[in-house]
């Protein structure tokens, strides 16, 4: 039994920990049925992973832990000699850390990797190989899902590669997130800078066409489970407001077209919101109401981490310059101990992530069995 169904309130519950296969689908369905979405947090080390798990436990929210290729490389160590192997091993190590600890925090976690463009397809394939080995040992893949961002390629080529990769993931119950249309901004070198001409609202290339979403649905739906990051004027990172107009109705129109042509209820698509940092709460809520189950949040949490550490340094400047105070011989070990200022950074992440969880409506909604 992957999950139990409570006779009294019909609430489905899951075993706490990393969710894959049928359990992953149960979690997604609960988000869409319940009108809430999960934060997808880019982590780069155990500090950020543990802060995310701690927040999820505190807020009783399920959560998505994800890594970019750069984050994975950093996790393995910037000094690791082979960059490709470091990306694969770093993400594998992070996933193993999450597998070991997620259940301990009592929440459900989706283990995911973030944007991979054409040249990073071998990174994702290296991780699928790790999942295949894990699947042989445990009956579960190491990752719940991966993301391919081939939105810079022509649509046919984007979908060809996605279909090939999904075919390999589907037997393990893994899901693939794809990207259609162009999200502005920069994500570890992947994405598209906003050019001079982009500062107006009718930049067609910043908005996904619903007919492209239908084409993706037709290509992938029979192969396995997939989710769609559609561009509706969203931007990676935080830029001065007002350059691009957010049009979440693009998500509604995509759901409507696929529903009318192929059925599957009024929200047949599982949608993902990229570039969520800095977005107004009302627009987040509107996007979630159209079937968004996941919102990426990276930039705002990077700032929250740095900002909290900066406050620690500002409050105790001498402790970061001297082991012992040159004027009064006071020892500063208790303040420069990395556990003190890294913990301050973790608390910064926790406070900001709690806000995101409130915006997304996922607080108190964990499916994890108590
Ligand atoms: Zn994106």
């Amino acid at each position: 039994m992957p999950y139990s169904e409570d006779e009294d309130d019909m609430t489905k519950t899951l075993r706490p920990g990393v969710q894959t296969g049928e359990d992953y689908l149960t979690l997604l369905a609960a988000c869409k049925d319940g009108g809430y979405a999960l934060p997808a947090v880019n982590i780069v080390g155990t500090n950020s992973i543990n802060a995310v798990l701690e927040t999820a436990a505190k807020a009783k929210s399920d959560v998505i832990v994800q890594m970019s290729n750069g984050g994975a490389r950093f996790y393995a160590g910037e000094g690791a000699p082979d960059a490709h192997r470091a990306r694969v091993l770093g993400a594998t190590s992070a996933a193993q850390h999450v597998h070991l600890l997620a259940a301990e925090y009592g929440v459900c976690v989706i283990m995911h990797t973030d944007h991979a463009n054409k040249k990073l397809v071998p990174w994702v394939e290296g991780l699928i190989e790790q999942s295949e080995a894990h699947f042989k040992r445990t009956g579960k893949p190491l990752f719940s899902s991966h993301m391919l961002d081939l939105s810079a390629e022509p649509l046919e080529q984007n979908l060809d590669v996605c279909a090939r990769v999904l075919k390999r993931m589907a037997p393990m119950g893994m899901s693939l997130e794809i990207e259609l249309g162009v999200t502005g901004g920069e994500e570890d070198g992947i994405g598209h800078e906003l050019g001079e001409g982009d500062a107006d609202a009718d930049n067609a290339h910043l908005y996904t066409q619903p007919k492209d979403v239908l084409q993706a649905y037709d290509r992938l739906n029979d192969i396995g489970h997939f989710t769609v990051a559609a561009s509706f004027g969203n931007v990676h990172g935080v830029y001065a407001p007002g350059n691009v107009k957010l049009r979440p109705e693009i998500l509604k129109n995509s759901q409507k077209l696929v529903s009318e042509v192929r059925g599957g209820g009024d929200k047949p698509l599982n949608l993902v919101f990229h570039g969520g940092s800095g977005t107004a709460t009302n627009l987040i809520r509107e996007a979630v109401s159209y079937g968004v189950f996941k919102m990426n949040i990276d930039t705002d949490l990077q700032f929250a981490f740095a900002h909290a550490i900066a406050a620690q340094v500002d409050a105790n400047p001498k402790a970061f310059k001297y082991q012992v105070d040159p004027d009064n011989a006071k020892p500063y070990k208790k303040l420069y101990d990395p556990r003190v200022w890294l913990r301050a950074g973790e608390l910064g992440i926790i406070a900001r992530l709690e806000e995101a969880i409130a915006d997304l409506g996922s607080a108190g909604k964990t499916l994890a069995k108590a």
Side-chain angles (χ1 to χ4, degrees), residues 353-367:
L353 184 52
E354 279 184 306
E355 281 175 35
I357 284 172
D359 285 347
L360 294 168
S362 64
K365 301 273 175 59
T366 180
L367 294 197

Side-chain angles (χ1 to χ4, degrees), residues 46-301:
T46 52
N47 290 111
S48 41
I49 292 177
N50 297 344
V52 171
L53 295 177
E54 183 177 338
T55 318
K58 200 174 161 198
K60 296 193 175 5
S61 166
D62 297 324
V63 75
I64 300 168
V65 170
Q66 67 184 16
M67 303 197 91
S68 68
N69 74 92
R73 205 247 186 279
F74 183 83
Y75 201 97
E78 291 292 323
D82 182 312
H84 170 73
R85 281 177 56 78
R87 283 188 202 103
V88 171
L89 294 175
T92 302
S93 176
Q96 285 172 345
H97 178 90
V98 174
H99 274 262
L100 196 63
L101 287 177
E104 195 64 22
Y105 282 84
V107 289
C108 298
V109 177
I110 291 173
M111 192 67 217
H112 181 67
T113 55
D114 200 9
H115 293 79
N117 65 8
K118 196 176 172 185
K119 71 176 196 300
L120 286 164
V121 173
W123 172 53
V124 172
E125 289 176 320
L127 293 176
I128 294 173
E129 207 176 303
Q130 295 284 336
S131 271
E132 285 166 345
H134 195 265
F135 191 84
K136 257 188 208 147
R137 287 198 304 273
T138 67
K140 276 174 83 168
L142 196 54
F143 290 86
S144 316
S145 50
H146 292 296
M147 199 247 160
L148 290 181
D149 177 5
L150 303 168
S151 60
E153 315 303 318
L155 183 61
E156 285 292 340
Q157 287 171 35
N158 179 344
L159 296 177
D160 279 350
V161 178
C162 289
R164 174 167 64 75
V165 172
L166 183 56
K167 233 172 238 161
R168 190 168 163 197
M169 293 166 72
M172 294 183 280
M174 297 174 77
S175 181
L176 179 67
E177 179 182 328
I178 68 167
E179 183 145 339
L180 300 170
V182 171
T183 298
E186 189 69 27
E187 176 79 35
D188 262 342
I190 297 161
H192 312 268
E193 277 306 306
L194 294 177
E196 295 279 314
D198 287 337
D200 70 71
D202 3 277
N203 259 298
H205 74 280
L206 285 175
Y207 303 102
T208 300
Q209 305 301 311
K211 66 172 174 42
D212 292 352
V213 181
L214 177 64
Q215 191 176 334
Y217 183 90
D218 285 343
R219 187 70 200 276
L220 301 176
N221 197 47
D222 288 341
I223 300 174
H225 191 267
F226 71 98
T227 64
V228 181
S231 304
F232 53 101
N234 29 348
V235 174
H236 291 136
V238 173
Y239 291 78
N243 276 352
V244 189
K245 191 179 175 339
L246 273 185
R247 293 171 52 195
E249 68 270 18
I250 283 176
L251 306 176
K252 183 167 78 170
N253 296 339
S254 298
Q255 293 282 22
K256 189 161 172 275
L257 179 65
V258 174
S259 172
E260 279 169 7
V261 180
R262 301 290 176 242
D266 62 339
K267 288 176 205 160
L269 301 162
N270 296 298
L271 298 170
V272 174
F273 186 163
H274 286 186
S277 286
T279 306
T281 303
N282 64 319
L283 287 168
I284 293 174
R285 295 256 162 88
E286 187 183 349
V288 170
S289 77
Y290 301 147
V292 165
F293 77 96
K294 168 183 187 262
M295 186 179 84
N296 290 359
I297 171 158
D298 180 19
T299 312
D300 282 356
L301 292 176

